[in-house]
Amino acid sequence: KTNHVLFFDSNEFENIIHYYLENGKIALAKKAIKVGLDQHPTSVNLKLFKTEIYILEDKLVEADKLLNQLYEIEPSNEEIYIQKASVLSKRDEHQKAINTLLIALDLTDDDEDDADLYALIGMEYLYLDKFENAREYFIKCLELDNDDYSALYNIIYCFDFLDQNQEAIKFLNQY
């Protein structure tokens, strides 16, 4: 706020940016990204936050260009694929987004990340009106994160849309 800039490690900038994004303070997140990249111009994670801002602002060409550069540096970074899928989804290329998220899923080794990816894949299937597939991915998400009520809601939504009330009751009793 004071424009008095101190040195921070890149992970400290990441925490600051994440905080601002979580609280909807996009302008402050952008400022933190700029200051962070001034101090750490090669930080892939800070550049990924920059792509996230581009996506939020519908600057998909800029996001795509930056993601392609980051892919050249770190082709096994699952976050690059997640952001790329977000760009594809915004372009209504949902099947491509699913394929990209499946690559990210192969790269993760963390159940929490897997749960998030299952939920994202489920959402992409919802956009395609493929409710059976969506339900299966939301169920996988819920198996890893039993408290993901958004996934639970989406599972019930899929059952309802498919007019599978008895199956929904059976699922809920098991849950």
Side-chain angles (χ1 to χ4, degrees):
K1 279 186 170 180
T2 64
N3 286 324
H4 183 81
V5 178
L6 302 172
F7 181 83
F8 291 107
D9 287 336
S10 63
N11 63 340
E12 290 170 322
F13 275 111
E14 292 169 29
N15 291 336
I16 292 167
I17 295 162
H18 183 74
Y19 171 81
Y20 285 142
L21 289 174
E22 287 288 311
N23 290 289
K25 298 181 181 199
I26 306 303
L28 289 173
K30 286 170 71 172
K31 184 174 183 177
I33 291 168
K34 182 191 177 316
V35 173
L37 284 171
D38 286 346
Q39 290 184 21
H40 305 281
T42 60
S43 170
V44 171
N45 289 338
L46 292 176
K47 289 180 182 180
L48 281 167
F49 276 117
K50 190 171 186 175
T51 64
E52 193 172 334
I53 296 292
Y54 282 151
I55 294 166
L56 284 171
E57 294 176 337
D58 278 331
K59 296 179 180 178
L60 303 182
V61 173
E62 291 92 335
D64 223 8
K65 191 186 304 185
L66 186 51
L67 286 167
N68 289 336
Q69 292 170 3
L70 295 175
Y71 174 79
E72 294 297 319
I73 297 167
E74 271 189 37
S76 62
N77 184 331
E78 73 266 6
E79 189 62 36
I80 293 170
Y81 293 92
I82 294 168
Q83 296 287 348
K84 183 71 170 171
S86 188
V87 170
L88 292 166
S89 183
K90 280 206 163 204
R91 290 182 174 151
D92 291 329
E93 297 180 50
H94 301 293
Q95 188 58 55
K96 287 182 180 178
I98 290 167
N99 296 340
T100 305
L101 289 168
L102 289 171
I103 294 169
L105 191 59
D106 286 340
L107 295 172
T108 65
D109 54 0
D110 179 342
D111 280 353
E112 188 176 322
D113 290 342
D114 286 353
D116 292 341
L117 286 167
Y118 288 140
L120 290 172
I121 294 168
M123 288 305 298
E124 294 300 322
Y125 276 121
L126 279 183
Y127 294 138
L128 292 171
D129 292 337
K130 294 185 176 180
F131 297 99
E132 295 272 353
N133 299 50
R135 183 186 66 214
E136 289 192 27
Y137 277 94
F138 288 125
I139 287 172
K140 288 180 180 186
C141 172
L142 201 59
E143 287 170 352
L144 293 176
D145 182 1
N146 207 26
D147 294 330
D148 189 331
Y149 298 115
S150 153
L152 180 61
Y153 171 83
N154 285 321
I155 292 166
I156 301 307
Y157 176 80
C158 291
F159 275 123
D160 186 41
F161 198 87
L162 294 165
D163 199 28
Q164 297 176 335
N165 299 331
Q166 291 305 312
E167 291 88 340
I169 291 168
K170 183 179 176 185
F171 173 81
L172 285 171
N173 284 331
Q174 289 174 342
Y175 173 75

